[in-house]
Structures are given as C-alpha cells and as structure tokens.
Amino acid sequence: MSRSENMSRIRGKDTQPEFKVRRALWAAGLRYRLHDRSLAGNPDLVFPGRRAVVFVHGCFWHCHEGCSNFRIPKTRSEWWAAKLARNKERDAKVRSELEAAGWSVLVIWECEVADSVRLDELMHELKLLPHKL
C-alpha cells in the first residue's frame, strides 16, 4: 500500500481515540455536543454550559513532542516537517481564539487515551469548571 493511499484512510473525526474519550465522559454522566462548526477549530467535544471544549489530538498529526507515536517520515521529510509545523501553528491559533472568547480548552492526546487515570483526570477537570449561570 502506498503512503498516499494509507494517509487517505486516516479520518479527521470519529476516530477510535475520540470514541474512547466520548464513552468515558458519557459513562461519567457528562453530556456534550460534537464538532461544533460555529467554534474555531471545530472542537471534538463541546460542553456549552461549562464553556469548555475538548480536542482529542492524534500524536502524529499534532506533533506530540516526546511521544513515541510522533516522528517525521523519512520520505519527503521537509514537506512533512512543514505540514506538521503548520498544524501546530493552527492548533495554537485556535486555542488562543477560543480562550479569548471565554472558552476553557482541554487537549487529550491519542497516547493518553489508553491511560484510564488520564481520562479520570479529564472528567474531574470538566466537572470542576463552573456551570453557566
């Protein structure tokens, strides 16, 4: 299978890590909206009453530094480095836009999804955020 064929099969939403996070949050009694296009960056999970959003980032696509799942491919390295740098810049811009609009932004990485302790921490962070008055 060629690289382009392989990369074309990678989805941008409804990924397995995202489903795991969604199941854990739903089981904890937290209700959310999915992929709100009216917000910058189309967050994966939106908690309107808490003014909080959650992004479930893939370690490769969002340059998770120090993660074993992130390394730049050996073929066309310069192109991949530039593309992934643009992704990282866009993530920072989206985060600052959301925070400036009064939203709390939480990021959970693909490699953290398997860690049930991290998912518990995320649920506690979301429950601590104030409800809309």
Side-chain angles (χ1 to χ4, degrees), residues 15-43:
T15 62
Q16 286 302 311
E18 186 181 324
F19 276 132
K20 287 180 182 180
V21 171
R22 284 160 51 175
R23 277 192 295 269
L25 294 173
W26 191 269
L30 294 168
R31 302 300 180 246
Y32 47 81
R33 295 201 177 141
L34 298 175
H35 312 290
D36 188 340
R37 299 183 92 188
S38 68
L39 295 173
N42 301 336

Side-chain angles (χ1 to χ4, degrees), residues 3-126:
R3 182 180 306 273
S4 65
E5 191 177 343
N6 185 36
M7 292 300 187
S8 72
R9 295 173 189 240
I10 296 172
R11 301 166 65 160
K13 61 181 181 179
D14 298 332
T15 62
Q16 286 302 311
E18 186 181 324
F19 276 132
K20 287 180 182 180
V21 171
R22 284 160 51 175
R23 277 192 295 269
L25 294 173
W26 191 269
L30 294 168
R31 302 300 180 246
Y32 47 81
R33 295 201 177 141
L34 298 175
H35 312 290
D36 188 340
R37 299 183 92 188
S38 68
L39 295 173
N42 301 336
D44 297 317
L45 304 168
V46 180
F47 299 86
R50 292 177 165 82
R51 296 214 29 104
V53 297
V54 175
F55 288 97
V56 182
H57 280 339
C59 296
F60 172 75
W61 295 105
H62 297 272
C63 304
H64 190 197
E65 299 296 330
C67 178
S68 61
N69 295 334
F70 171 65
R71 66 179 175 280
I72 295 177
K74 292 180 181 176
T75 55
R76 299 183 67 203
S77 297
E78 298 83 25
W79 184 85
W80 279 108
K83 175 175 181 42
L84 296 173
R86 287 191 308 269
N87 288 354
K88 202 170 179 178
E89 288 171 15
R90 185 187 65 238
D91 290 342
K93 180 182 176 203
V94 164
R95 183 180 192 118
S96 65
E97 286 177 18
L98 287 167
E99 288 174 345
W103 290 84
S104 297
V105 179
L106 299 170
V107 173
I108 186 162
W109 293 95
E110 174 186 14
C111 63
E112 296 174 319
V113 169
D115 183 5
S116 60
V117 173
R118 174 62 181 135
L119 287 178
D120 286 342
E121 289 172 0
L122 175 67
M123 287 182 281
H124 289 296
E125 285 180 51
L126 287 170

